[in-house]
Amino acid sequence: KKLKIWRDELAANISIDPPLLMKNAVISTIAVKMPKNSDDLLSIPEMKTWQIKTIGADLIKFLNTID
């Protein structure tokens, strides 16, 4: 749930539809795998290269704040 909120807020900040930024299926996979770095993100097949380059660092920072 927190990850979806983060995605929605980020999407609003850059004026893009949230599912275009990251689909719910990708969020579900991330929530299960809880990647710790960009290499971990690369191991998620649903993650696109542009997503990792564009939001990867911010995503990892956010995930590190979740218990």
Side-chain angles (χ1 to χ4, degrees):
K1 179 124 177 146
K2 291 179 183 180
L3 188 52
K4 282 186 181 181
I5 293 169
W6 175 84
R7 186 256 338 244
D8 292 348
E9 290 174 354
L10 180 60
N13 287 340
I14 60 174
S15 300
I16 190 171
D17 191 37
L20 291 177
L21 183 61
M22 190 182 313
K23 294 182 180 189
N24 289 339
V26 178
I27 289 175
S28 296
T29 301
I30 290 170
V32 170
K33 293 194 174 192
M34 289 299 289
K36 300 293 182 199
N37 55 51
S38 57
D39 287 337
D40 290 347
L41 288 176
L42 288 168
S43 74
I44 299 173
E46 299 91 349
M47 284 291 294
K48 306 295 183 203
T49 303
W50 71 265
Q51 291 170 313
I52 296 169
K53 289 180 181 178
T54 307
I55 63 170
D58 290 334
L59 176 57
I60 294 299
K61 284 180 193 173
F62 175 76
L63 292 173
N64 286 332
T65 67
I66 298 176
D67 297 344

